[in-house]
Amino acid sequence: MKISKRAQSVPASATIAVTSRAQELKAQGVDVVGFGAGAPDFDTPKYIKDAAIEALKAGKTKYTSAAGIVELRTAIADKLREENGLEYSPEQIIVNIGGKHSIYEAMQAVLDLGDEVILPTPYWVTYPETIKLADAEVKIVQTEKSTDYKMTPTQLRNAITKNTAMLVLNSPNNPGGFTYTPDELKALAEVLEGTDVCVISDEMYEKLVFGKTEFVSFASLSEDAYNRTLTMNGFSKAFSMTGWRLGYTAGPLDVIKAMGRLQSHMTSNCVTFCQYAAIAALGEPAHEAIEKMRQEFERRGKYMAQRLNGIEGVECSEPTGAFYCFPDVSSHYGRNINGAKITGSMDFAQAFLEQANVAVVPGLPFGCDNNVRLSFACSLEQITKGLDRLEEWLSQ
Ligand code: PMP
């Protein structure tokens, strides 16, 4: 059957090859250590599951308004006011089917053919594809190790053209594991003043910040930033609810209404009983539930970075957020390890998996071929085992 040009233009995820091979090896009984996970390894907290069960029992099983039930949008508005210093009315909030859907729909609502979207590296693999699906052009800003892979105000200024319609910011960052400081974000916000650039601020990892790292919502930086920003967040990472498919977008009323119109024809509402569980998720027990997971991630991230830096030819900043280390392993490129020629991150990940049975994600699809991504959403025991193998594999 004919496949549309649109669908043909979307490649299968470049990270899938490694993941599927890891699964294949596991199925054969090989003891594979998986550093590929993009989901917390904790169960969803019980109080949230209980709320979903209660909602089901109470018959919350029918359609809701496409944008989500007003009680949930009100709870999100309260959260954004109290935790992020952001004043949004429930009408300025739409509940989407996961953060991925928020991003897709926001881009569909804002972008046109010929628009340019600034995307600093390293970027989450989905952004370039959603930009292209909205007929817009990806304008990559290559960041440097020396700035901890953060885009500088000068780089942003130089990337803006008369066609720039959007900037995608993601802090804490997947795959980089870094977080922009409030001052760094302020400096970027100032560059945007006087332009028509809309910002998607992907705050999915907001709750997972470590040490003295301070999280700040981009829209809270100034009135100008507020007016140009779509604040995107969700329940997947903070509450360990990746399978529940709950994300949300808050922003200017006209954009949120446009997203609502699209959503009313594309998907309608998020799963109804999940919306009730989301209200519960934002309630009183949230702090303790999140803090337990956050502390564990912090402990693992510190350990992983320390171990990585102890390995010859591997350089890694300590993560300040999310659950990823993104070491530069490029000093091993050009080597031949047990017959495998390592020319870049794809070869590195493939050979490491085949020879040492550890799955890492190559940096190339994130825009940084010098790096690989290791998720620490797995036990400390697995982390130790995987890093022992890395040390041994690279020392050959
Ligand atoms: N943004 C970032 C940066 C992510 O890493 C992810 C998940 N990998 C998402 C958004 C989307 O999350 P979900 O669709 O599971 O809510």
Side-chain angles (χ1 to χ4, degrees), residues 98-100 103 124 127 170 174 202 204-205 236-237 245:
K100 194 174 274 190
I103 291 161
W124 180 43
Y127 300 138
N170 170 220
N174 173 15
D202 181 342
M204 190 53 90
Y205 293 90
S236 292
K237 313 292 170 164
R245 311 313 301 135

Side-chain angles (χ1 to χ4, degrees), residues 148-258:
D148 243 341
Y149 302 104
K150 294 179 197 175
M151 178 172 62
T152 65
T154 307
Q155 284 182 309
L156 175 58
R157 196 172 298 115
N158 292 341
I160 296 174
T161 72
K162 64 179 188 342
N163 296 327
T164 306
M166 185 181 272
L167 161 68
V168 182
L169 279 178
N170 170 220
S171 172
N173 183 270
N174 173 15
F178 59 77
T179 311
Y180 280 85
T181 66
D183 283 345
E184 288 165 343
L185 287 178
K186 253 179 234 157
L188 296 179
E190 279 165 18
V191 173
L192 297 177
E193 284 175 17
T195 71
D196 293 328
V197 179
C198 155
V199 175
I200 286 190
S201 179
D202 181 342
E203 304 182 356
M204 190 53 90
Y205 293 90
E206 168 196 13
K207 295 292 179 192
L208 303 178
V209 289
F210 313 131
K212 291 195 167 60
T213 308
E214 195 187 329
F215 172 83
V216 67
S217 280
F218 190 80
S220 72
L221 294 172
S222 65
E223 197 180 328
D224 182 88
Y226 177 84
N227 290 332
R228 66 173 70 252
T229 300
L230 297 171
T231 301
M232 197 235 96
N233 206 328
F235 294 80
S236 292
K237 313 292 170 164
F239 296 95
S240 198
M241 291 174 74
T242 46
W244 297 63
R245 311 313 301 135
L246 282 160
Y248 57 86
T249 312
L253 191 59
D254 51 350
V255 180
I256 300 301
K257 275 191 170 160

Side-chain angles (χ1 to χ4, degrees), residues 2 42 45 48 103 120 127 132 134 137 249 271 273 277 283 302 331 339 366 376 378 389:
K2 181 175 96 66
F42 306 105
I48 302 173
I103 291 161
Y127 300 138
K132 285 187 258 168
E137 261 175 61
T249 312
V271 175
F273 53 88
K302 244 193 186 115
S331 74
F366 301 109
F376 43 91
C378 56
R389 289 184 189 177

Side-chain angles (χ1 to χ4, degrees), residues 118-129 131 138-143 149 168 170 173-176 178 326 363-368 373:
I118 297 175
L119 190 58
T121 62
Y123 46 78
W124 180 43
V125 281
T126 290
Y127 300 138
E129 304 314 323
I131 294 167
V138 184
K139 182 115 185 210
I140 287 172
V141 171
Q142 199 71 45
T143 61
Y149 302 104
V168 182
N170 170 220
N173 183 270
N174 173 15
F178 59 77
F326 197 54
L364 185 64
F366 301 109
C368 292
R373 189 190 79 173

